[in-house]
Amino acid sequence: MLNWENMFAGRSSRMRASEIRELLKLLDRPDIVSFAGGIPDPALFPDDAFKAAYGEIFSGSQSATALQYSVSEGYKPLREWLAGEMAKIGIACRAENVFIVSGSQQGLDYLGKLFLSPGDTALVTFPTYLGALQAFNPYEPHYEQLTLSGNRTPESYRAGPRQAGCKPRFVYLSSDFANPTGETLTQAQRESVLDLAAELDIAVIEDAAYQSLRYDGEPIPPILALDIARNGSIEETRTIYCGSFSKTLAPGLRVGYIVANETVIRKLVLMKQAADLHSSTINQMAVFHVAERVFEDQVAKIKSVYRQRRDAMQQALEAHMPPGVHWAKPEGGMFFWVTLPTGMDTAELLAKSLETVKVAFVPGKAFFADGSGENTFRISFSCATEQVIDEGIGRLASLIVSEMSVQRRECA
Ligand code: PMP
């Protein structure tokens, strides 16, 4: 047996299998009710619009372009369309500020590569999007906690990086309906993140993967919009906005985007030239055709379905969960974040749940850069009907009730 570990670079030791990816395999087991994945419902994909778009590309003169290599920045009409969309949410920019990536996940990898040297500090919320930790880990950062709850001042955020003595490079966070917590930052919190970043002179990476999926409440300007409002032009901003078509149109196409000042975009383009030359030409063209024609209707359609499922999950949690179990109703996105009493371990709970009540969820620990969060878990409502949500939450709650009584007996 060769000892590959000795041959791999040191950074590879920080690449670990994701608990979520393992769990996604369970989605295929018909006896399991899965709230584990955070994926869009395939029944809602705009397949007819894509069929028409690909058909059109192949029936006209566009097929030569579609099947050819293309520029690393991305398909210009799509970048122009996105610049128009950005303007609607307060981000005044040009196509030159928009860079197409193979899913926003690729953007996170590039940003890790662009900003992090081994031992640098990345400021992240605890918990944070697991895929971001996976993207940054190979660049060997040290993570510091960015605390967003309550009335935190920039002083309290600053405590982290100062204590560590490491050079902070960026703040990474989701401003709307975060994965995994479902939380949305208030405008004051967004402003204070900008204050902190300005004070530390670092970048802000704003993950907007779920931003279009707001079910109620008023939209809050993205951090990049607030940054532009402060500084007059996108070229003067420090915020890098990562967007995606995965949650609105379809993730299989792997089309995402980064919106930022041209200095950052030019560097990212060089990275893409080295990594994969460009994102799929034909998929970018298809996304452009579909987005231009049906984006608004598609978003309205999926929002109305997901809103009902979100409400069903809220009702099911209220109806079935015992006192001592906490969650907040998210205003959008795909997730509820549930906290059990201290001392309970949701990884153990998952093993029991799969065996007995047959409900899958994601134990919260995976989302904490420091491995804490043992008593938390994430559940997604995006792929389950209202009836399945009530049934699954009911079953999970019955297990939690019995585990809590075991815990009480042990503590007595
Ligand atoms: N950011 C967040 C917060 C996500 O939840 C996801 C997908 N799970 C991504 C980024 C990556 O999405 P994609 O690469 O499909 O655009």
Side-chain angles (χ1 to χ4, degrees):
M1 247 322 235
L2 292 178
N3 189 344
W4 285 103
E5 292 304 324
N6 277 354
M7 294 188 249
F8 293 152
R11 77 180 80 90
S12 74
S13 67
R14 293 187 58 170
M15 300 174 187
R16 279 185 231 113
S18 140
E19 253 172 86
I20 297 189
R21 293 267 169 278
E22 293 303 307
L23 279 167
L24 283 176
K25 293 178 191 158
L26 295 170
L27 293 177
D28 293 336
R29 267 178 56 185
D31 59 328
I32 301 274
V33 169
S34 181
F35 300 129
I39 58 176
D41 185 341
L44 300 172
F45 290 155
D47 18 19
D48 285 342
F50 274 110
K51 199 170 160 195
Y54 283 102
E56 213 171 290
I57 289 167
F58 281 110
S59 66
S61 57
Q62 289 187 307
S63 64
T65 314
L67 296 175
Q68 190 52 281
Y69 284 119
S70 58
V71 293
S72 302
E73 287 83 347
Y75 183 54
K76 192 75 185 280
L78 180 60
R79 297 167 71 210
E80 281 164 352
W81 182 84
L82 277 165
E85 287 299 294
M86 291 294 111
K88 293 181 193 165
I89 54 171
I91 298 174
C93 67
R94 301 179 307 132
E96 284 69 16
N97 300 110
V98 182
F99 168 57
I100 307 294
V101 278
S102 302
S104 59
Q105 187 66 31
Q106 183 179 55
L108 297 176
D109 172 43
Y110 288 176
L111 292 167
K113 193 186 263 187
L114 182 58
F115 286 101
L116 297 169
S117 298
D120 282 345
T121 293
L123 281 172
V124 297
T125 51
F126 287 12
T128 196
Y129 169 50
L130 172 62
L133 298 177
Q134 287 183 306
F136 302 149
N137 278 345
Y139 305 107
E140 304 176 68
H142 164 84
Y143 294 105
E144 286 285 341
Q145 183 173 13
L146 177 74
T147 312
L148 295 164
S149 56
N151 276 332
R152 288 293 186 129
T153 59
E155 282 67 38
S156 54
Y157 296 128
R158 267 198 302 277
R162 278 205 183 143
Q163 278 161 12
C166 301
K167 169 82 179 115
R169 294 291 175 178
F170 60 70
V171 177
Y172 163 82
L173 79 177
S174 283
S175 28
D176 293 285
F177 332 122
N179 178 1
T181 61
E183 261 172 359
T184 295
L185 267 54
T186 62
Q187 185 157 339
Q189 286 173 322
R190 295 171 199 225
E191 295 283 5
S192 77
V193 169
L194 280 175
D195 290 342
L196 170 71
E199 192 109 9
L200 296 172
D201 196 18
I202 58 174
V204 176
I205 300 176
E206 178 176 29
D207 189 329
Y210 298 90
Q211 196 167 57
S212 309
L213 301 182
R214 174 175 279 283
Y215 313 133
D216 38 46
E218 282 306 305
I220 303 167
I223 298 176
L224 178 54
L226 298 172
D227 201 348
I228 293 172
R230 281 182 182 204
N231 293 296
S233 146
I234 192 167
E235 298 312 329
E236 304 302 321
T237 58
R238 61 179 65 251
T239 306
I240 301 164
Y241 176 101
C242 304
S244 176
F245 286 104
S246 294
K247 319 294 171 184
T248 48
L249 298 184
L253 296 148
R254 310 307 302 131
V255 180
Y257 46 95
I258 292 183
V259 182
N261 63 77
E262 280 194 68
T263 311
V264 167
I265 297 292
R266 274 195 294 270
K267 275 285 189 204
L268 293 171
V269 168
L270 294 176
M271 286 185 167
K272 198 157 179 62
Q273 280 167 6
D276 64 349
L277 301 179
H278 60 82
S279 297
S280 157
T281 319
I282 190 165
N283 287 354
Q284 292 184 69
M285 290 171 76
V287 164
F288 168 63
H289 280 277
V290 171
E292 198 188 34
R293 281 165 210 178
V294 307
F295 192 74
E296 250 177 63
D297 292 348
Q298 168 69 8
V299 171
K301 177 175 107 178
I302 61 176
K303 273 168 55 168
S304 89
V305 175
Y306 291 153
R307 180 186 294 112
Q308 283 172 20
R309 292 179 182 171
R310 188 268 322 253
D311 291 344
M313 193 165 263
Q314 170 70 15
Q315 277 159 20
L317 288 165
E318 278 172 7
H320 303 296
M321 285 295 168
V325 175
H326 300 285
W327 70 90
K329 185 179 174 186
E331 288 188 331
M334 295 184 173
F335 308 108
F336 277 77
W337 180 248
V338 182
T339 305
L340 301 183
T342 322
M344 292 195 65
D345 182 333
T346 56
E348 284 172 15
L349 185 76
L350 176 63
K352 284 189 188 144
S353 178
L354 293 176
E355 220 172 86
T356 57
V357 293
K358 306 215 180 307
V359 177
F361 54 84
V362 185
K365 211 173 155 176
F367 303 100
F368 286 79
D370 66 350
S372 62
E374 268 188 351
N375 58 328
T376 58
F377 64 86
R378 187 193 80 178
I379 39 180
S380 167
F381 50 84
S382 57
C383 286
T385 61
E386 278 107 302
Q387 202 192 339
V388 168
I389 288 172
D390 188 61
E391 165 72 25
I393 295 296
R395 273 160 36 189
L396 181 57
S398 67
L399 176 66
I400 291 173
V401 168
S402 73
E403 288 302 305
M404 279 170 68
S405 68
V406 171
Q407 194 205 25
R408 270 196 298 273
R409 272 201 303 277
E410 282 169 1
C411 294

